[in-house]
């Protein structure tokens, strides 16, 4: 019985010219979005890889200079783009892609792709994710708003129910049939996506396919929840028009209003400092100490005395190494504590913001989906943070090696003598290992929980509403 | 087979069906006459369980419609005044779908035979219903009533829109079904058909049964005069 109803709904949808047009439009849009994104990801990845190679060349060939100058010469490191950015660019267009690593400072990633994007390229940011998040629900809406209310209006519902069909079977059959119609529309998109993914080499342990599978699951939950909600509204609405009105308003609330409102609200509840304020506070803490009562000069003076005591000397010149190098090491260590504290606080705050927005998905499921999708794609903030931390670790290693060289291999002079160019080789190139799929899954869990709740509650609601289906 | 016991239904204080007692046995064709708004459709809706009564009970084959509407509907075939079908499906496809929902699977040949019996031209059976006339849709409804092999028929002006020949064919079908023991309740304005097809004729006025005659007993009475007499009383 349910199968017969599902089969009829499926056929009816495909015989409906409006659905076929919607299908062609959605397929074309998603297909083009995927192709463009694939091309862009490919290009970006090779550009960044090439830039990294060139940067390394520059570093190795910087010639003869002292190690401290090399620290200021600095190196650029480039953030590799996750293969699944093909589906979901996440925050990538809004965060930096490059970090300048230099002595004394922890820099934020710079060069936001969105900053220099032309209008055309921004349009190109219509990703498969956006299509599935915003367009697919519209297709479901058009497919379902009249599914029950329209049959009631036309009188076919009386005919069906007079045959002794259980309303619940009817509703389930419709849900399955319409779901299948939607699946035939989206399956080619998934296959195209898989093909694109297969051509993009994955970092070892990145787990692209695991991530891809979970992403698929997240979208299925989301669309299944929307399908159930739409059918429940259609079951209860007195007319198809009324169902359409309610559903369109809900769509706009979920797709347009909720993301903006959530972003504003969360900035209000959990504000982040302005960039200038943040940097000023950090610089001050570097100078004055984290507690603000421990000036850097004093700390370094104490450090000098302790060092002399430890080595049983009375004058810095008597130390068996270049004391300036040791001071550099110590001040880097002290600054590092400040950076860890300030950046840690900022990043924790940003993650708390994201989490709050994700839980707001209990009201508007798109927020839950966006969070899960980005996390699984490897384009959310937790992945960006992972990269930023790795870049900073590399910076500290690099500065440490330079300072140790100054300390041990040079003598006297404020910034030490000239370093042996073989030193440049000793500094390993930056190799970033993106986090494994387990990290992504952990980051995606709240969003997935939100989606699961939505799907379960929506289907229960549909099953509760179904027996109350009125024939007239 | 079809039974109402003190059945009452009100709409916003207005009584549409008033303390109605009916009993239609297997093999009986009960024609329910009555002016517009008398409560004929409402009675049928109550028997289908599409409306909940304010008092009394509707029964199908002894079982209460209120307690198990699904079981009641499984024994009923219903033809409304306007049979509504799925316009993007052909006549055969519609019939196939609806009879499957009614629990009866038929082969394509059987379905075509049913449509033919209902009077639908063979060339129309494989056309989409969106192109059908009202009478053609009505014929698919009749085929469906045949397809489900129901024990009871609820007919709400079933021949409305049918041409005279098709109406005549329908009468023959109806009598044949009654002969096989099907109980029929037919709301109609067609006094001629009522007299021809029914074994009993009831006149409904303001939701109350004002007259209930065996057709054999009023063979020589002018039905129209009788009807109008009730109306004026
Ligand atoms: N859903 C409803 N809401 C309010 N009143 C209704 C509803 N359905 C029927 N009625 C009222 O109940 C009364 C009986 O209506 P019903 O449709 O049963 O008449 P009928 O005998 O079938 O008339 P007709 O010959 O015109 O088909 C009418 O007064 C009608 O206005
Ligand atoms: Mg009526």
């Amino acid at each position: 019985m349910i199968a017969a109803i599902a089969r009829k709904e499926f056929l009816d949808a495909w015989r409906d010219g409006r659905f076929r047009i919607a299908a062609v439009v959605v397929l074309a849009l998603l297909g083009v979005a995927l192709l463009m994104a694939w091309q862009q990801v490919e290009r970006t990845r090779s550009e960044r890889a090439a830039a990294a190679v060139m940067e390394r060349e520059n570093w190795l060939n910087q010639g003869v200079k002292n190690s401290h100058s090399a620290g200021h010469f600095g190196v650029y490191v480039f953030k590799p783009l996750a293969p699944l950015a093909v589906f979901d660019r996440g925050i990538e267009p809004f965060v930096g892609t490059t970090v300048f690593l230099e002595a004394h400072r922890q820099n934020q990633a710079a060069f936001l792709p969105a900053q220099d994007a032309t209008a055309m390229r921004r349009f190109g940011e219509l990703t498969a994710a956006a299509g599935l998040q915003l367009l697919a629900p519209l297709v479901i809406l058009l497919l379902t708003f009249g599914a029950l209310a329209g049959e009631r209006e036309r009188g076919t519902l009386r005919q069906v129910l007079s045959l002794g069909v259980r309303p619940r079977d009817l509703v389930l059959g419709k849900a399955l049939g319409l779901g299948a119609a939607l699946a035939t529309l989206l399956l080619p998109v998934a296959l195209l996506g898989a093909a694109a993914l297969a051509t993009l080499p994955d970092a070892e342990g990145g787990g692209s396919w695991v991530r891809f599978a979970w992403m698929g699951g997240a979208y299925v939950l989301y669309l299944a929840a929307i399908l159930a909600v739409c059918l429940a509204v259609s079951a209860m609405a007195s007319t198809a028009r009324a169902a359409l009105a309610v559903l369109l308003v809900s769509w706009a609330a979920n797709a347009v209003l909720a993301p903006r409102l959530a972003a504003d609200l969360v900035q209000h509840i959990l504000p982040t400092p302005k960039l200038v304020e943040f940097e000023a506070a950090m610089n001050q803490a570097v100078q004055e100490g984290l507690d603000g009562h421990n000036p850097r000069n004093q700390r370094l003076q104490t450090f000098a005395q302790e060092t002399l005591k430890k080595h049983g000397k009375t004058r810095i010149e008597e130390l068996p190494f270049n004391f300036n190098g040791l001071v550099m090491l110590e001040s880097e260590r002290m600054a590092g504590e400040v950076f860890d504290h300030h950046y840690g606080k900022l990043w924790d705050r940003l993650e708390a913001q994201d989490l709050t927005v994700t839980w707001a998905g209990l009201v508007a499921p798109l927020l839950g989906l966006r969070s899960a999708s980005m996390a699984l794609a490897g384009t959310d903030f937790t992945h960006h943070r992972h990269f930023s931390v790795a870049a900073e670790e590399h910076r500290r290693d690099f500065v440490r090696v330079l300072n140790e060289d100054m300390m041990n291999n040079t003598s006297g002079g404020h910034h030490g003598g000239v370093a042996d160019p073989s030193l440049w080789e000793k500094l390993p190139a930056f190799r970033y290992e993106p986090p494994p799929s387990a990290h992504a899954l952990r980051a995606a869990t709240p969003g997935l929980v939100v989606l699961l709740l939505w799907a379960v509650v929506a289907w229960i609601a549909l099953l509760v509403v179904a027996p109350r289906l009125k024939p007239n | 087979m079809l039974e109402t016991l003190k059945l009452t239904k009100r709409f916003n204080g207005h009584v549409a069906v008033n303390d109605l007692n009916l009993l239609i046995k297997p093999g009986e064709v009960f024609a329910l006459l009555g002016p517009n708004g008398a409560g004929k459709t409402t009675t049928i809706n109550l028997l289908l369980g599409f409306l909940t009564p304010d008092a009394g009970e509707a029964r199908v084959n002894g079982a209460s419609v209120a307690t198990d509407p699904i079981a009641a509907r499984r024994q009923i075939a219903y033809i409304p005044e306007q049979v509504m079908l799925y316009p993007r499906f052909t006549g055969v496809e519609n019939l196939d779908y609806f009879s499957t929902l009614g629990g009866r699977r038929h082969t394509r040949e059987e379905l075509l035979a049913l449509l033919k019996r209902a009077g639908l031209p063979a060339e129309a059976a494989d056309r989409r219903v969106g192109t059908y006339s009202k009478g053609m849709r009505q014929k698919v409804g009749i085929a469906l009533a045949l397809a489900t092999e129901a024990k009871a028929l609820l007919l709400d002006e079933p021949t409305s829109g049918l041409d005279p020949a098709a109406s005549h064919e329908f009468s023959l079908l109806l009598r044949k079904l009654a002969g096989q023991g099907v109980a029929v309740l037919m709301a109609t304005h067609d006094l001629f058909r009522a007299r021809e097809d029914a074994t009993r004729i009831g006149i409904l006025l303001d939701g109350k049964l004002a007259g209930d005659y065996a057709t054999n007993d009023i063979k020589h009475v002018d039905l129209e005069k009788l009807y109008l007499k009730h109306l004026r009383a």
Side-chain angles (χ1 to χ4, degrees):
Chain A
M1 174 80 72
I2 295 180
I5 296 166
R7 193 178 149 270
K8 180 247 150 199
E9 282 311 313
F10 179 81
L11 276 176
D12 209 3
W14 277 106
R15 286 183 185 180
D16 185 350
R18 290 166 303 176
F19 177 70
R20 284 206 302 267
I21 290 172
V24 168
V25 169
V26 166
L27 258 177
L29 273 177
L30 288 183
V32 168
L34 263 176
L35 279 177
M36 283 177 71
W38 173 74
Q39 209 185 12
Q40 200 181 338
V41 168
E42 270 249 288
R43 195 178 52 227
T44 309
R45 281 164 67 111
S46 57
E47 272 171 12
R48 291 188 194 172
V53 169
M54 205 157 80
E55 177 60 23
R56 182 69 184 164
E57 295 277 291
N58 280 348
W59 170 257
L60 292 177
N61 297 321
Q62 61 181 307
V64 178
K65 56 172 70 143
N66 79 41
S67 44
H68 191 73
S69 309
H72 282 289
F73 182 73
V75 286
Y76 283 98
V77 293
F78 301 89
K79 184 175 172 183
L81 197 54
L84 281 157
V86 166
F87 292 98
D88 192 340
R89 306 266 288 156
I91 61 167
E92 285 295 327
F94 311 103
V95 294
T97 55
T98 308
V99 185
F100 181 54
L101 308 182
E102 58 175 332
H104 310 313
R105 288 172 57 83
Q106 175 171 356
N107 293 314
Q108 306 224 42
F111 301 114
L112 278 56
Q115 260 171 1
D116 55 5
T118 62
M120 189 54 210
R121 251 193 69 193
R122 275 193 203 201
F123 178 72
E125 302 292 1
L126 169 83
T127 55
L132 289 172
Q133 290 168 5
L134 307 174
L135 284 180
L138 265 186
V139 174
I140 295 182
L141 194 157
L142 293 175
L143 205 55
T144 52
F145 78 94
L148 294 158
E151 286 220 28
R152 181 183 302 116
E153 272 181 293
R154 270 183 276 117
T156 40
L157 190 57
R158 282 175 67 85
Q159 197 89 45
V160 167
L161 292 177
S162 80
L163 291 162
V165 175
R166 278 173 209 288
R168 194 167 281 179
D169 291 352
L170 178 65
V171 168
L172 279 180
K174 288 208 169 235
L176 290 180
L178 295 172
L182 193 72
T184 54
L185 168 57
L186 296 182
L187 212 62
V189 177
L191 290 178
L192 195 61
L197 194 58
T199 66
L200 294 168
D202 191 11
E204 200 181 320
S208 275
W209 292 104
V210 177
R211 290 161 177 261
F212 183 65
W214 277 96
M215 251 172 123
Y219 282 92
V220 166
L221 283 178
Y222 177 69
L223 297 177
I226 286 180
L227 180 66
V229 169
C230 288
L231 277 175
V233 169
S234 185
M236 296 211 296
S238 51
T239 62
R241 240 167 194 281
L244 182 62
V246 168
L247 290 173
L248 277 177
V249 168
S250 311
W251 178 85
N254 180 50
V256 183
L257 196 61
R260 284 163 181 71
L261 204 63
D264 286 353
L265 264 170
V266 81
Q267 183 59 27
H268 189 74
I269 308 167
L270 298 165
T272 48
K274 289 202 179 66
L275 185 62
V276 269
E277 288 167 12
F278 173 75
E279 293 199 327
M282 199 160 59
N283 288 338
Q284 197 187 356
V286 168
Q287 294 307 321
E288 310 288 328
L290 273 175
D291 58 5
H293 300 294
N294 201 356
R296 188 163 171 270
N297 289 346
Q298 229 162 50
R299 277 177 288 156
L300 287 177
Q301 242 163 28
T302 318
F303 178 69
Q305 273 153 17
E306 281 168 0
T307 308
L308 288 173
K309 214 160 100 190
K310 204 165 105 193
H311 290 270
K313 307 280 193 239
T314 48
R315 277 161 28 92
I316 279 170
E317 290 74 19
E318 293 167 10
L319 288 169
F321 48 80
N322 185 343
F323 180 64
N324 282 326
L326 186 63
V327 168
M328 294 285 179
L329 280 169
E330 174 61 8
S331 52
E332 282 292 343
R333 190 195 59 75
M334 291 189 315
E337 279 178 3
V338 172
F339 297 150
D340 286 345
H341 177 79
H342 280 257
Y343 274 109
K345 235 172 68 178
L346 177 68
W347 290 343
D348 283 349
R349 176 52 66 98
L350 288 171
E351 284 190 6
Q353 283 195 342
D354 283 352
L355 190 64
T356 309
V357 171
T358 303
W359 286 117
L362 290 172
V363 182
L366 174 63
L367 300 176
L369 175 66
R370 278 208 319 191
S371 155
S373 176
M374 276 191 237
L376 291 166
T379 55
D380 70 339
F381 179 70
T382 69
H383 283 81
H384 186 67
R385 180 176 186 166
H386 186 273
F387 167 77
S388 302
V389 167
E392 174 63 9
E393 268 171 18
H394 184 71
R395 183 188 78 85
R396 290 187 193 176
D397 281 347
F398 140 84
V399 175
R400 188 175 40 75
V401 170
L402 292 178
N403 286 334
E404 278 172 0
D405 177 73
M406 184 204 280
M407 177 176 156
N408 297 322
N409 301 333
T410 67
S411 60
H414 181 57
H415 281 150
V418 168
D420 182 343
S422 74
L423 175 62
W424 313 149
E425 309 253 5
K426 283 194 201 139
L427 292 160
F430 178 60
R431 273 211 202 298
Y432 176 59
E433 200 62 64
S437 54
H439 167 99
L441 213 50
R442 217 174 306 118
T445 298
L448 289 171
V449 167
V450 165
L451 292 173
L452 187 66
L453 280 174
W454 261 97
V456 168
V457 170
W459 278 80
I460 289 177
L462 182 62
L463 290 177
V464 167
V465 166
R468 282 164 239 244
L469 195 62
K470 295 258 181 325
N472 300 299
Chain B
M1 188 68 208
L2 293 167
E3 195 177 4
T4 65
L5 293 165
K6 301 188 170 213
L7 193 63
T8 302
K9 178 71 193 175
R10 288 185 206 94
F11 292 111
N12 317 313
H14 170 81
V15 187
V17 173
N18 193 353
D19 212 22
L20 184 67
N21 291 301
L22 280 181
L23 177 61
I24 302 158
K25 298 191 191 112
E28 272 190 325
V29 177
F30 188 93
L32 194 58
L33 304 178
N36 297 131
K40 304 182 293 293
T41 299
T42 306
T43 305
I44 288 174
N45 279 337
L46 287 162
L47 278 162
L48 281 166
F50 285 173
L51 292 171
T52 37
D54 293 301
E57 189 173 48
R59 289 185 182 176
V60 175
N61 205 6
S64 161
V65 174
T67 34
D68 194 351
I70 304 292
R73 291 174 197 157
R74 289 249 159 229
Q75 321 207 36
I76 295 173
Y78 162 63
I79 305 179
E81 188 182 344
Q82 302 236 22
V83 172
M84 296 312 295
L85 304 165
Y86 297 104
R88 285 188 286 267
F89 286 78
T90 66
V92 185
E93 285 172 335
N94 267 286
L95 183 60
D96 185 23
Y97 178 57
F98 281 116
S99 59
T100 304
L101 294 190
R104 295 278 191 285
R105 303 227 61 159
H106 294 282
T107 64
R108 184 178 150 81
E109 282 64 41
E110 288 167 339
L111 294 169
L112 287 170
L114 286 164
L115 287 170
K116 196 169 165 216
R117 266 179 84 192
L120 194 77
E123 63 70 33
D126 286 318
R127 252 198 305 153
R128 288 202 181 175
V129 161
T131 65
Y132 279 20
S133 70
K134 178 180 186 300
M136 289 163 84
R137 288 202 301 273
Q138 216 63 19
K139 287 171 183 171
V140 177
I142 293 166
L144 175 59
L146 296 171
T148 55
E149 295 162 22
K151 295 198 190 94
L153 281 180
L154 292 177
L155 312 175
D156 199 349
E157 301 173 39
T159 54
S160 88
L162 287 190
D163 59 61
S167 264
H168 174 69
E169 289 294 320
F170 181 68
S171 288
L172 296 180
L173 269 178
L174 206 57
R175 280 182 242 167
K176 198 167 165 200
L177 289 173
Q180 292 164 2
V182 173
V184 181
L185 171 63
M186 175 167 67
T188 183
H189 295 298
D190 189 339
L191 301 184
F192 173 71
R193 285 260 86 87
R195 150 147 265 156
E196 290 282 294
D197 305 340
T199 56
R200 271 169 66 203
I201 294 175
I203 297 171
L204 197 66
L205 288 179
D206 293 330
K208 267 185 174 322
L209 204 57
D212 184 353
Y213 305 94
T215 318
N216 282 335
D217 297 346
I218 50 169
K219 258 190 184 135
H220 306 292
V221 183
D222 184 341
L223 186 55
E224 195 171 29
K225 276 191 184 142
L226 182 71
Y227 177 78
L228 292 173
K229 198 182 86 188
H230 275 289
L231 221 56
R232 284 193 211 98

